Structures are given as C-alpha cells and as structure tokens.
Amino acid sequence: MTVDEFLVWAAGRPGRYELVDGEVFAMSPERARHGLVKYAAQTALNRAIEQAGLSCHMMPDGMTVRIDATTTFEPDALVYGGPPIDLDAVEVPDPVIVVEVLSPGTKSVDTGTKLIGYFRVTSLCHYLILDPVNRIVIHYRRGEGGLIETRIATEGRLDLSPPGLTLPVAELFADLPPPAEPAA
C-alpha cells in the first residue's frame, strides 16, 4: 500500500495506524504514564515556541509524517515552521522536531526504524525520544554534514536550533508524580 492509499484507507476508520514499508500497523492503547509525558512534551514545546517568538507550530499526536512512498509515522508531538497548515490536513510535510514517548512495546521501533526513517525527512533537525520510566531524553540532532549527534539528558535544557527553541528537560516530565524514594 502506498501512503496516498493508506491515507484514504485510514480516513474515518476507528483507531490509529502507521504504515511501514507498505504494511499497516495498528497502534496500541497507551498507558497513563505515556499520556502524561506526551501532554507535558506538547505543553513544553508550545511554551518554548511562545517564549522564542518564532513562527513555528506544535501539533499533537495524530498527525502523519510521510517518510517515503510507503511509510508514515504518527509522532506523539511535532513542530514545523512557517504558516499554519490547512485545518483539514492530516499530514505535516516538513517537521523540524518530532517527539516519541517510549512504551514497553515500541522501544525497538522508536530507537531503530523510526530513528532511521525520521532522519530521511530532509527538514527534520531533532528527534526526541522520551523515556517516561527513567525520565531520560535521548536527543538526536542533525549536525553538520548530515551527521546525527546524540545527547542523553536527565536535567538541564535542550537546545533545539534550528528553529531556535530552548526546552527544559524537567518540563517534559512535569506531569508525572515524583519518583518513589528507595526503601532504606
């Protein structure tokens, strides 16, 4: 199946799906922890865009990113630049930042297939993988000459340039309850 065929097939169909190499995959229901981190990331991205005063836009989960003719992904959040997209659009053509929140069943896909796929999108500069259990951000950044640089952060700020955003790591996990104290 091609992406164009998939988008027609998926329209109005209950549930969420991704297309990988022409094969449709249903997306599993998410856990509360996943939903809280996803919402915190979306909120933090919106706040960073407002603070920077940039003409960027955050889109929550459910938007399609076309990787190639037979593959699409639906990140948990994304940022694109320029004017707002059409309100009836289901696809964001030129994301600059994509975010995925790890789930027990998606870790290998998020760190393998999606990592490689997202960086095939020429506009993409940053891919953030959020580990809600360990409160870790794995930040992949397209560097000079197309080299993909990796930073693992548990605190501090992420420099998302371009487009010029600063994102506090703590805000990405702000909606989670404090970690349990180890037993003495």
Side-chain angles (χ1 to χ4, degrees):
M1 181 180 294
T2 68
V3 169
D4 293 331
E5 292 166 338
F6 167 75
L7 293 174
V8 169
W9 173 87
R13 190 174 296 273
R16 293 180 45 216
Y17 304 90
E18 292 182 319
L19 184 70
V20 180
D21 294 329
E23 187 176 346
V24 175
F25 289 90
M27 297 175 75
S28 300
E30 61 189 42
R31 297 170 190 237
R33 179 187 342 262
H34 185 279
L36 289 171
V37 171
K38 179 173 66 174
Y39 178 75
Q42 294 166 355
T43 302
L45 286 167
N46 263 335
R47 187 175 301 117
I49 291 167
E50 286 177 18
Q51 289 173 348
L54 299 173
S55 64
C56 292
H57 310 277
M58 187 285 300
M59 295 299 295
D61 65 322
M63 297 305 297
T64 298
V65 174
R66 184 184 301 243
I67 305 304
D68 59 31
T70 61
T71 302
T72 66
F73 298 139
E74 282 192 17
D76 289 316
L78 65 81
V79 173
Y80 70 94
I85 61 172
D86 184 296
L87 294 179
D88 290 323
V90 296
E91 185 177 348
V92 176
D94 295 312
V96 179
I97 302 167
V98 293
V99 178
E100 293 284 1
V101 178
L102 288 181
S103 298
T106 66
K107 184 176 183 176
S108 64
V109 173
D110 291 341
T111 60
T113 304
K114 287 188 177 185
L115 171 62
I116 293 166
Y118 280 133
F119 279 105
R120 292 177 61 201
V121 177
T122 58
S123 63
L124 191 79
C125 297
H126 305 276
Y127 176 33
L128 305 178
I129 299 176
L130 309 182
D131 178 340
V133 173
N134 297 304
R135 298 172 192 237
I136 293 171
V137 178
I138 305 169
H139 175 195
Y140 296 97
R141 178 184 176 276
R142 189 186 311 267
E144 291 185 33
L147 182 69
I148 305 303
E149 302 166 350
T150 307
R151 175 180 177 214
I152 299 173
T154 57
E155 58 187 27
R157 297 179 171 276
L158 301 176
D159 175 15
L160 303 177
S161 295
L165 303 179
T166 301
L167 198 61
V169 171
E171 287 187 16
L172 299 171
F173 305 103
D175 292 337
L176 290 178
E181 293 293 323

